[in-house]
Amino acid sequence: MEDASKRRRELEAAVLDKVGEVISAVRSAKRVDQVICALHSLAVLLFPLDYSSLLSGSIDQRYRDQVLSAKAPPEEERWEWWQAFYRGAAYPTLARVLLFDVASNWLACFPISARVHVYDVFFVSGLSSEVVQTLVPCLQKNASDGHDINYVLSNTERLLVHCLLENDGVLQMAREFCQSEDSISERTKPSVATLAQIVASIPDKARLRAPVSLSSHLFFKQITIQLLSLAEKRDEKVLDKVDFSNKSDMDDALQFVGETFSRICRRGSADVLLSEIAPRILRHVQSLLSSDFDSAVIDVFEADPGSQFWLKMIEAIKDVYAVERISEQLLHHLATEHASDVEAYWILWLLFHRTIRHQTSVRSMFVDKFVLWKTFPICCLRWILQFAVLECPPDANSLTKGHSIRGLVDTLQRLIAVWSKKEFVQSASMEQQTYVSAAVGLSLEKMSKEELDGTNDVMHLILQGVSCRLESPNHLVRKMASSVALVFSKVIDPKNPLYLDDSCSGDIIDWEFGLATPDKGNLDASDCPEKDVLKSKASILAPESDFNHTANRGISNNVKSKTKKLSEFKFVDPDEIIDPVTLNHEPVSDIDDDNASENSESSSDSSLQPYDLLDDDTDLKRKLSQLVDVVGALRKSDDADGVERALDVAENLVRASPDELRHVASDLVRTLVQVRCSDLAVEGEEESAEDKRQRALVALLVTCPFESLDTLNKLLYSPNVDISQRIMILDVMTDAAQELANAKTVKPKHRTGPLITSISESQPWFLPGSSGPPGATSWKEISETGTLLNWSSRYERELPSKSGQIKRGKTRRWSLRSSSVQENQMEWSHNKFPVYAAAFMLPAMQGFDKKRHGVDLLDRDFVVLGKLIYMLGVCMKCAAMHPEASALAPPLLDLLRSRYLNLRTSVQCLNDTMQT
Amino acid sequence: MSKRPTPDPVAVLRGHRASVMDASFHPSRPLLFTGSADGELRIWDTVQHRTVSSACVHSAAHGIICVASSPLIGANKVISQGRDGTVKCWDIEDGGLSRNPSVTIKTNTYHFCKLSLVKKPSAHAPQAEGHCYHDETEFRGAFDLESLDGSKEKAERGLTESSNVVGDAHAEGPNYVAIAGEQSHEVEVWDLNSAERLVQLSQSSAGGSPNISTSERGMCMAVQAFLPAESQGSLNVLAGYEDGSMLWWDIRHPGVPVTSIKFHSEPVLSISIDESCRGGISGAADDKIVMYSLDHSLGSCVGKKEISLERPGISGTSIRPDGKIVATAGWDHRVRIYNYHKGNALAILKYHHATCNSVSHSSDSKLMASASEDRTVALWELYPPKS
């Protein structure tokens, strides 16, 4: 091992020495022959040159001998030299000299044969990967060191065409990856991406005057063909090797292929790429399908080594954008070539069946992007649905349904969600609408009624989508609605299809809705439809500008729209180096994810069983605990519930007489009067609501008389209340007056007992005192048994049960206070009314005889008058025997005596109302 | 089959004297951190259901709005965010908090947006169950001993045990915290080690949607920072705004958000991201919960499922580490449980009698805690993962 490396180092040193020698010879050369000689001396060590004689004819005699005398080493040694030369630092050094110094100074003088044999040979017979790395950077050199830059560039381009295109250099490069030994593959590995990028960048780096074969279209086509031919040649030997022996090598080669293809897509030439790939893969699948259709198709593909290449190639393309462009173009190509459903399915299966499982991006591309965002011909849509959603091979000419309906249901739900939106109908392009409608229809066809029932809101959304389409003025849109409705009705009830439209009476629905897809012809006409579109756009814009600028404008527009298109995606930079590590990382975690989701799916039946989802909101109803809230709730007449709850709590809250009562009293009175109980309450409960309202008002009047009365009296003669409310107000005032009159003020009765109790002589001191409630028996000693030593004596007596106390079991409840005890301890103080009597009566008496808008007590509203007089009477009665009465009596008598009333009628009124 | 009755909480932790604003489980030990609106940070033992320690870490006037812990910042650390404009990082020393915070960041922010620690996709996310503290009794034992004799050695053993368990989840390197900034429409990322502000994500320069100006989006109401596997170690932040929109930032490009989406019509109040960082859920002041998937390579955030609610207002969301269920804390006092994959409702948990402020799942997926304004924290055991 050490020997080998030592030897290699020695060899490398020798090679470097030789190269240094050659370079100094070239630098110091005075004649072209000297240069040729020097180069030849090196070339003969590296390459099998037996054209010495041919070469010798064209150079000077003096050097011919020198050339001829150069002896070719044996083949083995030459191979070692070649290795050391190209793998080491020697080659890049020499290449610089060759490409700049020799090219600009001497090459023009080289005879043709010399150029081929001692100059080109360094590139053509070299290690392609190294050659490319030295050649391509030269394309971008600027004139600097006095070299003739034009000549340098054109020479480089010539060499590139020669190496890569005429000598299949790209193919060689791939082979190099494949053949390279382990030690070297370590070194080359990171450069796979770099190399692919370099190769793909050649057309963009080449000058405008470069050979036509370096233009992107031809160049990419050429290298695609090379790489694909590699694939076909590999069928036999290489792929075998891949599967059984050295995996990493093949992976490198395939990685290179994949990387190059993805770069080509990045450079906007996916169409070129696919114009080569599509026919090949179609042919491949056709041959497999025709040859051996009886056995299980999947096995045929699994066993076929050629298929493995396609599969692996797609796997090797890590760039999501590239995969998307490729699959898009593939679908278009297959559509133009009229591939059958079965063929298309197997092509998609062959390319993507593994990636779609392992990479979410690919799956979402098929299931989301291709179904919802892009538009394809309808046949492509069928293939996409068949492959990505239904996930099973198709019948001869119809979609078939696989075992797993989950994907279908999910997709349908997503489709429907988009399809049913009104905005989609209004804003999406007609192609898009047709496409999504077709997708909805096709996937709906595959559903059964049970599956539809199982989905959440699909049915609802379908109806919504259909109905918003039926309103459309566009015939086509209406037709989409009726078609989807027809399919839907067939799913629900096959015997009773629903025809919303006369035109669609047949069984088979035309999902293209008569819109011939224009893509078909277009694709045939040119290989790059997209570019065509862009160009035509540019040319439409062009006439606006000066004729001279047309070309420039066209180009810039073209570029602009192209970059715009690219910038929709995140990887804008086609030169960006995508770290394969991160890309490789993706599928791994995806698998985990999938497992997890599958686990949860399978276990969801058992472990994620929903609990009872009943949810009532009783606890959420806001408890009204503040008077302010009550007022607020009462004002919201539209919230009957709230008003009812407010009425429920109003009385108690008012009775609690909080501090803020005085401030809210007038508001509360007003709202209580104005609340419409009859509108709010449930049928039959109007009474209770009315009752509650009145009790709340009474409570208000009792707890906070002045403020409440103020408002109430204003309301009494206000034009804004009706008769019933006036009557209610008077009733409430009457009740309140009576309540105030009967008000009880509780005071604990002060009881004086003797502070020192004298013990009567009759009982010993240690006996408990005889005090206690009346009816208690005398103390008796409890006879203790068991212990003789008994220092304490225990006594008991029976107490009478308190009135109101219920005997439950043996436990005596001491806390229960009997009402009689209360009676004993409290004393009553009566009649708080007289204080407020004036406030009750005077305002009410003040304006009764004024006729105002809506108020006419003397004539129309005599019932109110009766109530008023009754109220006044009650008030007088309550105030009787108090000094206030004598002060209030005269005005009342005045009222009764007034000219509008005679006593009799008023007494009559009084009697009437009292009886009612 | 008749529906099972809704379960009750397995335990209710009482002791806070004000609304409990946030709850967070210790990443490995059976501890729960809760913070209340009067600035008190309590540590609870979730096995014994007792308070282990209590400390007033922020002033009572301002209170705590967020407590957080994560294996990424270290197993013995907890972070509290107060409405006094500071974020404090505390060490947990045998059973209690350190006397002084190890780091105090003066963020100068006085808003309602909870901070977010970085979420990193765990390599063993699906297997997490049973991976973390696998043996509860063992822990209980350790704790009993610890509390009995207080021997340092035992405590250390307990610590090393637990840190072994999560050992591989420890990532050395910078610890970040994302928070709505001093200008409340900005998002700031702070380095927890050096207490320095790393970057400000301002939507004013948002190129993606020039027609929406800063003032229209309003304040940042919710943030979530995460490290998606594809981002090559650069931090991503998802931020929800007052107008219901969400912005996705990659801090490599602080000028331009990766994408902006608007699922909600009212302020976004809570954003959670699942363990794989490929999807998440958001709750807002409107009557919707939205589940979405995040595609890093496309830079897209696509709504997967929209759940409409009877009553609006979701103040907290949490996705269980095993990715099976999500919980939401509602203004309507309910905690709701959904199937994360299908999005169907699984349970409506009625226990709290005031607004729920947050929900949180333990790292072993066994326990869930809900914190509420009714000053209690309820612990629930729902759909226990099979061990």
Side-chain angles (χ1 to χ4, degrees), chain A residues 369 456 570-571 582 589 592 597 600-601 603-604 607-613 615-617 619-620, chain B residues 4-7 232 278 297-298 305 311 325 332-334 336 339 341-342 345-348 350 383 386:
Chain A
K369 231 176 195 175
N456 266 353
K570 280 300 122 187
F571 306 105
T582 55
S589 51
D592 286 350
S597 71
S600 72
E601 282 308 321
S603 62
S604 62
S607 71
L608 294 184
Q609 195 65 241
Y611 287 101
D612 189 0
L613 290 172
D615 184 21
D616 53 355
D617 54 357
D619 61 320
L620 288 180
Chain B
R4 294 181 292 163
T6 322
Q232 292 143 14
R278 283 167 207 285
S297 57
L298 295 175
K305 173 93 187 171
R311 289 178 286 274
I325 60 175
D332 58 353
H333 316 176
R334 312 270 192 275
R336 286 159 201 274
N339 184 332
H341 288 284
K342 292 179 171 175
L346 293 176
I348 298 171
K350 274 187 267 186
Y383 305 106
K386 287 181 225 109

Side-chain angles (χ1 to χ4, degrees), chain B residues 294-307:
Chain B
L294 300 167
D295 190 325
H296 192 267
S297 57
L298 295 175
S300 67
C301 176
V302 184
K304 272 195 311 191
K305 173 93 187 171
E306 202 175 281
I307 302 164

Side-chain angles (χ1 to χ4, degrees), chain A residues 896-911:
Chain A
L896 295 176
R897 250 189 254 127
S898 67
R899 59 189 166 107
Y900 304 110
L901 296 170
N902 56 56
L903 196 57
R904 207 172 49 81
T905 51
S906 61
V907 171
Q908 190 64 45
C909 280
L910 210 61
N911 280 337

Side-chain angles (χ1 to χ4, degrees), chain A residues 40-73:
Chain A
H40 178 264
S41 67
L42 179 61
V44 81
L45 293 175
L46 301 170
F47 310 110
L49 294 176
D50 36 21
Y51 308 108
S52 312
S53 52
L54 207 138
L55 165 78
S56 57
S58 56
I59 57 170
D60 199 275
Q61 183 62 41
R62 264 193 295 166
Y63 302 100
R64 192 183 300 159
D65 300 337
Q66 201 182 330
V67 167
L68 286 175
S69 67
K71 205 166 63 147

Side-chain angles (χ1 to χ4, degrees), chain B residues 105-126:
Chain B
I105 304 177
K106 288 208 164 52
T107 56
N108 242 1
T109 55
Y110 303 93
H111 46 61
F112 298 92
C113 175
K114 290 181 175 177
L115 63 78
S116 159
L117 294 175
V118 178
K119 190 148 206 165
K120 199 175 179 186
S122 49
H124 52 267

